[in-house]
Amino acid sequence: NLAIDESGNLWVWGYNKYGTLGDGTSISKKIPTKIKSGTKFKTISAGYDYSLAIDEDDNLWTWGNNEYGQLGNNTKTSSNVPIKITIEMKIKSISAGRNHTLAIDESGNLWTWGYNSKGQLGNGTKSASLKPIQIEKNTKFKTVSAGQNYSLAIDESSNLWVWGDNGNGQLGNGTTTNSLVPIQIKF
C-alpha cells in the first residue's frame, strides 16, 4: 500500500517481496513506514508488485519488480528503493497495471512501457518495452488507467480510448477481440 500525507511525505506498508515498498528491504511491513524523506510527492500508483510516484517537480519515481521493464529505466533490474526515471518530459498522470505502466506528460502526450502480451502498450505489437514509448501521437490526453492486461485513457475532448486484452469484453467495443492499438469508444 502507498499513501501521501498532507505534507507530501510518502508512506508504504504491506507486501514487499520484490522491494515493492521501496524501503531498501524485501521485508513486509505491518505499519506505515516513511520512505524517500526530503522528497515531496503528489501522485502515487501501485501495480501488482511495483510502485510509481510523481514528486512535486513532476519527476517520475519507480521501484519494485522489473521483470518486464515496468519500471521504465531501460533494464529488467528490480529496485527496492525509488529510482528517478530519466526522461525529458514532466509527468502529470500515471497508472500502474499488473505489469505495464501508463503516463501522460505535461503536453498531454501518452507514454507506455512494460509487459505487452495482449497489446496493452498500444504500440501495435506484443513486445515488451523497457523504456517509455509514445503512442497515439496525434491525440492529447488528460487521464489514464491501467488494468491487468488492458489500458484506458481519456483525451482532452473527453473521448474514451481503450486497448489490450478484450477476452471478457473489457474494452467495451462490443467484441472480445484484443486491440494492439488504442481505439476510440463511441457511446
Side-chain angles (χ1 to χ4, degrees), residues 68-179:
Y68 303 105
Q70 59 266 47
L71 299 186
N73 65 346
N74 206 26
T75 75
K76 287 187 174 184
T77 304
S78 297
S79 178
N80 63 8
V81 296
I83 52 176
K84 185 162 57 169
I85 301 304
T86 306
I87 46 180
E88 300 197 11
M89 73 288 284
K90 299 291 185 181
I91 300 297
K92 296 295 183 184
S93 179
I94 52 173
S95 184
R98 181 174 175 96
N99 293 305
H100 77 290
T101 304
L102 307 175
I104 299 173
D105 69 23
E106 63 189 344
S107 298
N109 298 311
L110 180 57
W111 300 84
T112 65
W113 61 94
Y115 194 56
N116 196 28
S117 68
K118 303 287 186 177
Q120 59 265 46
L121 297 187
N123 66 345
T125 76
K126 291 183 180 180
S127 299
S129 179
L130 304 179
K131 62 182 181 179
I133 51 174
Q134 186 180 354
I135 65 165
E136 200 60 42
K137 295 180 180 179
N138 295 322
T139 305
K140 299 300 180 190
F141 292 89
K142 60 183 179 180
T143 191
V144 287
S145 183
Q148 179 163 326
N149 287 316
Y150 66 98
S151 304
L152 305 109
I154 298 175
D155 68 23
E156 289 181 339
S157 298
S158 298
N159 297 306
L160 176 63
W161 296 77
V162 297
W163 61 98
D165 187 16
N166 197 28
N168 295 304
Q170 55 268 54
L171 299 187
N173 65 348
T175 75
T176 55
T177 304
N178 297 349
S179 180

Side-chain angles (χ1 to χ4, degrees), residues 3-11 36 39-42 56:
I4 301 172
D5 66 24
E6 62 187 17
S7 298
N9 297 306
L10 182 56
W11 296 84
K36 199 68 182 142
T39 303
K40 301 299 180 193
F41 292 91
K42 61 183 186 177
E56 63 184 1

Side-chain angles (χ1 to χ4, degrees), residues 36-69:
K36 199 68 182 142
S37 293
T39 303
K40 301 299 180 193
F41 292 91
K42 61 183 186 177
T43 304
I44 50 178
S45 184
Y48 182 69
D49 51 13
Y50 73 106
S51 303
L52 311 168
I54 300 173
D55 68 22
E56 63 184 1
D57 295 321
D58 298 326
N59 296 305
L60 177 61
W61 297 80
T62 65
W63 62 96
N65 187 16
N66 198 28
E67 180 179 358
Y68 303 105

